[in-house]
Short mmCIF file of all heavy atoms in Angstrom, two decimals:
data_model
loop_
_atom_site.label_atom_id
_atom_site.label_comp_id
_atom_site.label_asym_id
_atom_site.label_seq_id
_atom_site.Cartn_x
_atom_site.Cartn_y
_atom_site.Cartn_z
N GLY B 1304 30.85 6.27 16.13
CA GLY B 1304 31.44 5.90 17.42
C GLY B 1304 31.18 6.95 18.47
O GLY B 1304 30.87 8.11 18.15
N HIS B 1305 31.29 6.56 19.73
CA HIS B 1305 31.00 7.50 20.82
C HIS B 1305 31.57 7.02 22.14
O HIS B 1305 31.92 5.84 22.32
CB HIS B 1305 29.48 7.70 20.96
CG HIS B 1305 28.72 6.44 21.29
ND1 HIS B 1305 28.20 5.62 20.32
CD2 HIS B 1305 28.40 5.86 22.48
CE1 HIS B 1305 27.58 4.60 20.89
NE2 HIS B 1305 27.69 4.71 22.20
N LEU B 1306 31.66 7.97 23.05
CA LEU B 1306 31.82 7.68 24.48
C LEU B 1306 30.49 8.10 25.09
O LEU B 1306 29.86 9.04 24.61
CB LEU B 1306 32.96 8.53 25.06
CG LEU B 1306 33.27 8.33 26.55
CD1 LEU B 1306 33.89 6.96 26.81
CD2 LEU B 1306 34.23 9.42 27.06
N HIS B 1307 30.04 7.40 26.12
CA HIS B 1307 28.79 7.85 26.74
C HIS B 1307 29.00 9.19 27.44
O HIS B 1307 30.06 9.45 28.02
CB HIS B 1307 28.25 6.78 27.67
CG HIS B 1307 27.75 5.58 26.91
ND1 HIS B 1307 27.98 4.28 27.28
CD2 HIS B 1307 27.05 5.51 25.73
CE1 HIS B 1307 27.44 3.46 26.38
NE2 HIS B 1307 26.88 4.18 25.44
N ALA B 1308 27.98 10.04 27.34
CA ALA B 1308 28.06 11.37 27.97
C ALA B 1308 28.30 11.21 29.48
O ALA B 1308 29.09 11.95 30.06
CB ALA B 1308 26.79 12.16 27.68
N ILE B 1309 27.60 10.27 30.10
CA ILE B 1309 27.97 9.83 31.46
C ILE B 1309 28.96 8.69 31.22
O ILE B 1309 28.59 7.57 30.91
CB ILE B 1309 26.75 9.37 32.27
CG1 ILE B 1309 25.71 10.50 32.37
CG2 ILE B 1309 27.19 8.91 33.67
CD1 ILE B 1309 24.46 10.12 33.16
N SER B 1310 30.25 9.03 31.35
CA SER B 1310 31.27 8.17 30.74
C SER B 1310 31.42 6.80 31.40
O SER B 1310 31.98 5.89 30.80
CB SER B 1310 32.61 8.90 30.70
OG SER B 1310 33.11 9.11 32.00
N ASP B 1311 30.90 6.63 32.64
CA ASP B 1311 31.04 5.31 33.27
C ASP B 1311 29.96 4.34 32.81
O ASP B 1311 29.95 3.18 33.25
CB ASP B 1311 31.06 5.43 34.80
CG ASP B 1311 29.68 5.62 35.42
OD1 ASP B 1311 28.71 5.92 34.68
OD2 ASP B 1311 29.57 5.49 36.65
N ARG B 1312 29.05 4.76 31.94
CA ARG B 1312 27.98 3.87 31.50
C ARG B 1312 28.51 2.86 30.47
O ARG B 1312 29.14 3.25 29.49
CB ARG B 1312 26.82 4.66 30.90
CG ARG B 1312 26.12 5.61 31.88
CD ARG B 1312 25.65 4.89 33.13
NE ARG B 1312 24.73 5.68 33.91
CZ ARG B 1312 24.99 6.13 35.15
NH1 ARG B 1312 26.14 5.89 35.76
NH2 ARG B 1312 24.06 6.81 35.81
N SER B 1313 28.21 1.60 30.72
CA SER B 1313 28.68 0.52 29.86
C SER B 1313 27.62 0.19 28.81
O SER B 1313 26.54 0.77 28.81
CB SER B 1313 28.98 -0.71 30.72
OG SER B 1313 27.82 -1.07 31.45
N GLU B 1314 27.95 -0.75 27.93
CA GLU B 1314 27.01 -1.13 26.87
C GLU B 1314 27.29 -2.56 26.44
O GLU B 1314 28.45 -2.97 26.35
CB GLU B 1314 27.14 -0.17 25.67
CG GLU B 1314 26.11 -0.41 24.57
CD GLU B 1314 25.90 0.82 23.67
OE1 GLU B 1314 26.54 1.86 23.92
OE2 GLU B 1314 25.09 0.72 22.74
N LEU B 1315 26.23 -3.29 26.21
CA LEU B 1315 26.36 -4.66 25.70
C LEU B 1315 25.98 -4.68 24.22
O LEU B 1315 24.95 -4.12 23.84
CB LEU B 1315 25.42 -5.59 26.47
CG LEU B 1315 25.41 -7.05 25.98
CD1 LEU B 1315 26.73 -7.73 26.31
CD2 LEU B 1315 24.24 -7.81 26.58
N TYR B 1316 26.82 -5.32 23.41
CA TYR B 1316 26.52 -5.55 22.00
C TYR B 1316 26.50 -7.06 21.77
O TYR B 1316 27.42 -7.76 22.20
CB TYR B 1316 27.58 -4.93 21.09
CG TYR B 1316 27.54 -3.42 21.03
CD1 TYR B 1316 28.21 -2.64 21.96
CD2 TYR B 1316 26.82 -2.77 20.03
CE1 TYR B 1316 28.17 -1.24 21.90
CE2 TYR B 1316 26.78 -1.38 19.95
CZ TYR B 1316 27.46 -0.63 20.89
OH TYR B 1316 27.41 0.74 20.82
N VAL B 1317 25.48 -7.52 21.05
CA VAL B 1317 25.35 -8.94 20.73
C VAL B 1317 25.28 -9.08 19.22
O VAL B 1317 24.41 -8.47 18.58
CB VAL B 1317 24.07 -9.54 21.38
CG1 VAL B 1317 23.99 -11.04 21.10
CG2 VAL B 1317 24.03 -9.27 22.87
N GLY B 1318 26.16 -9.87 18.64
CA GLY B 1318 26.15 -10.08 17.20
C GLY B 1318 24.92 -10.84 16.76
O GLY B 1318 24.60 -11.89 17.33
N LEU B 1319 24.22 -10.33 15.74
CA LEU B 1319 23.00 -10.98 15.24
C LEU B 1319 23.16 -11.50 13.81
O LEU B 1319 22.65 -12.56 13.48
CB LEU B 1319 21.82 -9.99 15.27
CG LEU B 1319 21.40 -9.45 16.64
CD1 LEU B 1319 20.29 -8.42 16.46
CD2 LEU B 1319 20.95 -10.56 17.57
N SER B 1320 23.86 -10.74 12.98
CA SER B 1320 24.10 -11.20 11.61
C SER B 1320 25.34 -10.52 11.06
O SER B 1320 25.71 -9.43 11.49
CB SER B 1320 22.89 -10.94 10.71
OG SER B 1320 22.77 -9.56 10.44
N GLY B 1321 25.99 -11.17 10.10
CA GLY B 1321 27.17 -10.59 9.47
C GLY B 1321 28.41 -10.73 10.33
O GLY B 1321 28.44 -11.46 11.31
N HIS B 1322 29.44 -10.00 9.91
CA HIS B 1322 30.75 -10.11 10.54
C HIS B 1322 31.30 -8.72 10.76
O HIS B 1322 31.53 -7.98 9.80
CB HIS B 1322 31.68 -10.93 9.63
CG HIS B 1322 33.08 -11.08 10.14
ND1 HIS B 1322 34.14 -11.33 9.31
CD2 HIS B 1322 33.59 -11.00 11.39
CE1 HIS B 1322 35.24 -11.42 10.03
NE2 HIS B 1322 34.95 -11.21 11.29
N GLY B 1323 31.49 -8.37 12.01
CA GLY B 1323 32.00 -7.05 12.32
C GLY B 1323 33.05 -7.08 13.40
O GLY B 1323 33.40 -8.15 13.92
N VAL B 1324 33.57 -5.92 13.68
CA VAL B 1324 34.45 -5.76 14.84
C VAL B 1324 34.01 -4.51 15.59
O VAL B 1324 33.37 -3.61 15.03
CB VAL B 1324 35.94 -5.63 14.47
CG1 VAL B 1324 36.44 -6.88 13.75
CG2 VAL B 1324 36.21 -4.39 13.64
N MET B 1325 34.34 -4.50 16.86
CA MET B 1325 34.15 -3.33 17.69
C MET B 1325 35.53 -2.77 18.00
O MET B 1325 36.41 -3.52 18.46
CB MET B 1325 33.44 -3.77 18.98
CG MET B 1325 33.05 -2.68 19.93
SD MET B 1325 31.59 -1.74 19.44
CE MET B 1325 30.40 -3.06 19.22
N VAL B 1326 35.75 -1.50 17.72
CA VAL B 1326 37.00 -0.83 18.08
C VAL B 1326 36.76 -0.12 19.40
O VAL B 1326 35.78 0.63 19.53
CB VAL B 1326 37.44 0.19 17.00
CG1 VAL B 1326 38.79 0.78 17.36
CG2 VAL B 1326 37.48 -0.46 15.64
N LEU B 1327 37.63 -0.38 20.36
CA LEU B 1327 37.43 0.12 21.73
C LEU B 1327 38.69 0.84 22.19
O LEU B 1327 39.79 0.28 22.12
CB LEU B 1327 37.16 -1.06 22.67
CG LEU B 1327 35.93 -1.91 22.34
CD1 LEU B 1327 36.32 -3.38 22.24
CD2 LEU B 1327 34.88 -1.74 23.41
N GLU B 1328 38.53 2.05 22.69
CA GLU B 1328 39.70 2.83 23.10
C GLU B 1328 39.42 3.60 24.38
O GLU B 1328 38.30 4.11 24.56
CB GLU B 1328 40.09 3.80 21.97
CG GLU B 1328 40.37 3.04 20.68
CD GLU B 1328 40.92 3.87 19.54
OE1 GLU B 1328 40.81 5.11 19.58
OE2 GLU B 1328 41.45 3.25 18.60
N THR B 1329 40.43 3.69 25.23
CA THR B 1329 40.28 4.50 26.43
C THR B 1329 40.91 5.88 26.21
O THR B 1329 41.77 6.05 25.34
CB THR B 1329 40.97 3.85 27.64
OG1 THR B 1329 42.38 3.77 27.38
CG2 THR B 1329 40.42 2.47 27.91
N VAL B 1330 40.48 6.80 27.02
CA VAL B 1330 41.01 8.16 26.95
C VAL B 1330 42.51 8.16 27.23
O VAL B 1330 43.26 8.99 26.70
CB VAL B 1330 40.23 9.05 27.95
CG1 VAL B 1330 40.89 10.41 28.12
CG2 VAL B 1330 38.79 9.20 27.48
N SER B 1331 42.95 7.19 28.03
CA SER B 1331 44.37 7.14 28.40
C SER B 1331 45.24 6.38 27.40
O SER B 1331 46.42 6.17 27.64
CB SER B 1331 44.52 6.55 29.79
OG SER B 1331 43.85 5.31 29.87
N GLY B 1332 44.67 5.95 26.27
CA GLY B 1332 45.51 5.46 25.19
C GLY B 1332 45.45 3.98 24.87
O GLY B 1332 46.15 3.51 23.97
N GLU B 1333 44.64 3.21 25.61
CA GLU B 1333 44.49 1.80 25.24
C GLU B 1333 43.62 1.68 23.98
O GLU B 1333 42.70 2.47 23.79
CB GLU B 1333 43.81 1.02 26.37
CG GLU B 1333 44.68 0.87 27.61
CD GLU B 1333 43.86 0.37 28.79
OE1 GLU B 1333 43.18 1.18 29.42
OE2 GLU B 1333 43.92 -0.84 29.07
#
Side-chain angles (χ1 to χ4, degrees):
Chain B
H1305 61 269
L1306 181 69
H1307 290 138
I1309 302 180
S1310 66
D1311 79 347
R1312 297 305 194 245
S1313 57
E1314 185 158 359
L1315 177 69
Y1316 288 87
V1317 183
L1319 298 176
S1320 72
H1322 178 204
V1324 299
M1325 184 77 54
V1326 184
L1327 300 127
E1328 303 187 343
T1329 63
V1330 170
S1331 53
E1333 291 168 280

